[in-house]
Amino acid sequence: MDEDHPPPVRVGQAESIEEHVVSAPTTPADLVILGGGSGGYAAALRAAELGLSVVLIEKDKVGGTCLHRGCIPTKALLHSGEIADQAREGEQFGVKTSLAGIDMDGVNAYKDGVVSRLYKGLQGLIKSRKINYIEGEGRLVSPTTVSVNGQTYEGRHVLLATGSYSRSIPGVELDGVRVIDSEQALQLDRVPTSAIILGGGVIGCEFASAWKSFGVDVTIIEGLKHLVPLEDESSSKLLERAFRRRKINFELGNLVSSVEHTENGVKVSLQNGKDFEAEIVLVAVGRGPVSQGLGYEEAGVTMDRGYVLVDEYCQTNVPTISAVGDLIPTLQLAHVGFGEGILVAERLAGLPVVPIDYAGVPRVTYSEPEVASVGLTEVQAREKYGEVETLVYDLGGNGRSQILKTQGAVKLIRQKDGPVVGVHMVGSRVGELVAEAQLIFNWEALPDEVAALIHPHPTQSEAIGEAHLALAGKPLHAHS
């Protein structure tokens, strides 16, 4: 999962969960989980907490892509980039600083240290909940049975949570050296002089931002007409403007025709006839479900393009099988996996559960500037409601944003004379504001209700309050 959230674990518990591996039980477990990433381990922890017996099977390390090869290490990389930028730009804040260089060994040690501490904490949680953890590559062999390491584990229910892999482009071969995916990019032991990034979504923009901070000459190639194309168009345009200021190059609305090695790097040719050359190419065109050859179809599970299809309660067409996370066609975000895993565990424990409203899930791109949103885009809102009202509050009117020297905006979308149905933000650190935006959307708040809340000064959170004041017809630090 790309986008982005650390697992809620305690650090400092160093016991290895390998010590807790036991042999196959003689009686069925309440729940057998295939895959120990965000969705799988969240389900395991919650189910065990509710008194269910759990077998958790993971072929690599518990924590999955997010913890080891995605959310956590990429954000550590971005923070190193932020420190580099601050060193370069100290003088504009009256502090004489300079950047001596980027030590990739040091960056990787910092990044890996963060991952290691969280991993140890997660291992401790798994052990403390008495979860039967099995390390090995599992396969579904019946609607209630998973085979791993030559043994079978039977459960009253099976949860599929095998996650996703980095997609490539047909005809573009990853060699792990000059043409790489996002997981290989996290292991680079050097700062390349130049890079071409194929894909201008969340993953592509985050790597472009981090690498530019490290001094890399970056060009993004995106086949659609905007960067982060799933966001509101206004947010995409603000990010594009910011990237131009940072001298991050991008080519929009054009597709790749070929990628070939040159004497000094790689050449990317586009269908419009343009060519680009760089030392390396990062393929960041999204992620696909890991489901092939795992026995899902043989067990009768309905599939579509490799995804496992589920109902609103994450249950497949086979009553004893559920699926969560990147394996199903919902938002590929770690926190969505957490939510889906918890939902399944509570459903199996007999608790009342409410389906997830995926529009109400917060989304963040951790570039500089950040892009954060919840709810509907303006296009989606007009399609659903017809007439809507919008308001854009420029961060130029926000004192804290001026102190940080960031630019951007908060855009609100409301149903005509109704609640706020979309909040879209661009600017440094706005990802920290999206939790309040999530409450506004999910509680169907009216602009007047949010305007009545007093936000602390000076904070960037005031921008949310000021935007709602303006939308309620009583602007303060904004033109009416």
Side-chain angles (χ1 to χ4, degrees):
M1 298 192 177
D2 195 280
E3 308 10 355
D4 308 295
H5 301 263
V9 300
R10 299 188 300 269
V11 300
Q13 300 181 28
E15 299 92 343
S16 171
I17 53 177
E18 281 74 9
E19 299 170 4
H20 198 63
V21 174
V22 298
S23 59
T26 56
T27 58
D30 293 314
L31 178 60
V32 174
I33 302 171
L34 185 52
S38 300
Y41 85 66
L45 292 174
R46 183 62 177 137
E49 187 176 50
L50 292 170
L52 302 184
S53 58
V54 179
V55 176
L56 177 62
I57 299 166
E58 168 57 43
K59 68 178 181 179
D60 189 9
K61 294 179 178 179
V62 67
T65 295
C66 172
L67 176 55
H68 299 284
R69 302 175 298 279
C71 318
I72 300 302
T74 55
K75 278 46 175 186
L77 204 68
L78 282 156
H79 185 62
S80 292
E82 181 183 357
I83 299 300
D85 287 331
Q86 289 175 347
R88 284 191 193 95
E89 299 163 3
E91 196 129 348
Q92 64 177 302
F93 300 98
V95 180
K96 293 183 178 180
T97 59
S98 61
L99 179 65
I102 304 295
D103 171 16
M104 279 309 297
D105 287 341
V107 170
N108 287 330
Y110 154 68
K111 166 178 64 68
D112 295 343
V114 172
V115 171
S116 177
R117 287 189 294 275
L118 291 171
Y119 176 46
K120 288 176 182 176
L122 181 54
Q123 287 179 306
L125 279 178
I126 296 293
K127 185 176 182 180
S128 70
R129 302 279 173 91
K130 304 292 191 292
I131 292 166
N132 185 4
Y133 178 81
I134 309 297
E135 189 171 294
E137 189 163 356
R139 187 178 189 276
L140 187 67
V141 293
S142 86
T144 57
T145 311
V146 174
S147 172
V148 59
N149 299 336
Q151 293 186 319
T152 56
Y153 294 82
E154 187 175 353
R156 294 182 178 87
H157 202 91
V158 174
L159 175 62
L160 309 178
T162 43
S164 62
Y165 67 95
S166 296
R167 290 187 186 275
S168 188
I169 298 172
V172 177
E173 184 177 348
L174 301 174
D175 62 17
V177 180
R178 295 188 186 183
V179 184
I180 62 178
D181 63 19
S182 59
E183 295 179 14
Q184 293 162 341
L186 287 168
Q187 301 304 318
L188 285 179
D189 59 1
R190 71 190 192 284
V191 178
T193 56
S194 56
I196 296 169
I197 298 176
L198 307 184
V202 173
I203 297 172
C205 286
E206 289 186 351
F207 272 99
S209 185
W211 281 347
K212 185 63 181 181
S213 297
F214 289 167
V216 181
D217 182 11
V218 179
T219 300
I220 303 171
I221 309 295
E222 169 55 52
L224 298 177
K225 64 180 182 178
H226 286 294
L227 298 178
V228 287
L230 298 182
E231 294 291 343
D232 191 86
E233 188 173 317
S234 65
S235 294
S236 296
K237 289 180 176 178
L238 284 172
L239 181 64
E240 290 160 12
R241 185 186 306 169
F243 273 16
R244 288 190 194 98
R245 286 196 301 267
R246 295 188 62 193
K247 295 184 170 49
I248 296 175
N249 307 306
F250 47 88
E251 181 77 16
L252 304 175
N254 289 305
L255 299 176
V256 174
S257 63
S258 68
V259 175
E260 57 188 83
H261 286 200
T262 65
E263 184 178 349
N264 299 314
V266 189
K267 181 172 79 171
V268 175
S269 299
L270 305 186
Q271 292 181 0
N272 66 356
K274 291 185 178 181
D275 293 332
F276 298 87
E277 293 193 34
E279 181 182 335
I280 63 171
V281 168
L282 168 63
V283 181
V285 291
R287 299 183 64 84
V290 173
S291 59
Q292 189 172 4
L294 295 178
Y296 297 170
E297 290 177 299
E298 292 86 340
V301 175
T302 301
M303 313 277 288
D304 179 33
R305 297 170 295 115
Y307 290 100
V308 172
L309 299 185
V310 297
D311 64 14
E312 60 186 354
Y313 296 102
C314 297
Q315 185 161 343
T316 73
N317 61 302
V318 180
T320 56
I321 301 175
S322 295
V324 296
D326 289 2
L327 183 62
I328 65 176
T330 55
L331 292 171
Q332 292 186 323
L333 300 169
H335 47 292
V336 168
F338 295 152
E340 291 168 344
I342 291 168
L343 184 150
V344 169
E346 293 184 347
R347 171 168 59 80
L348 296 178
L351 299 181
V353 294
V354 177
I356 295 170
D357 177 3
Y358 290 97
V361 173
R363 308 170 292 269
V364 184
T365 301
Y366 294 86
S367 52
E368 174 50 47
E370 292 182 351
V371 180
S373 62
V374 66
L376 306 179
T377 66
E378 184 173 345
V379 170
Q380 291 168 339
R382 291 190 186 281
E383 288 175 353
K384 183 172 183 177
Y385 298 112
E387 192 174 358
V388 299
E389 300 172 71
T390 66
L391 182 132
V392 176
Y393 176 81
D394 194 299
L395 292 185
N398 177 259
R400 182 65 173 164
S401 296
Q402 287 299 301
I403 291 167
L404 295 173
K405 287 187 176 286
T406 187
Q407 299 180 44
V410 173
K411 177 178 179 178
L412 304 180
I413 303 162
R414 74 177 297 194
Q415 188 178 348
K416 178 68 175 177
D417 299 323
V420 173
V421 297
V423 181
H424 304 272
M425 301 176 285
V426 178
S428 297
R429 307 183 186 182
V430 295
E432 304 299 331
L433 307 182
V434 79
E436 181 183 4
Q438 175 187 208
L439 295 177
I440 291 167
F441 173 85
N442 285 290
W443 287 346
E444 300 180 343
L446 297 171
D448 282 312
E449 294 171 327
V450 182
L453 303 175
I454 297 176
H455 290 73
H457 175 76
T459 64
Q460 285 185 291
S461 71
E462 282 182 288
I464 290 180
E466 294 270 0
H468 283 84
L469 279 166
L471 190 55
K474 45 185 179 183
L476 185 59
H477 298 100
H479 296 286
S480 57

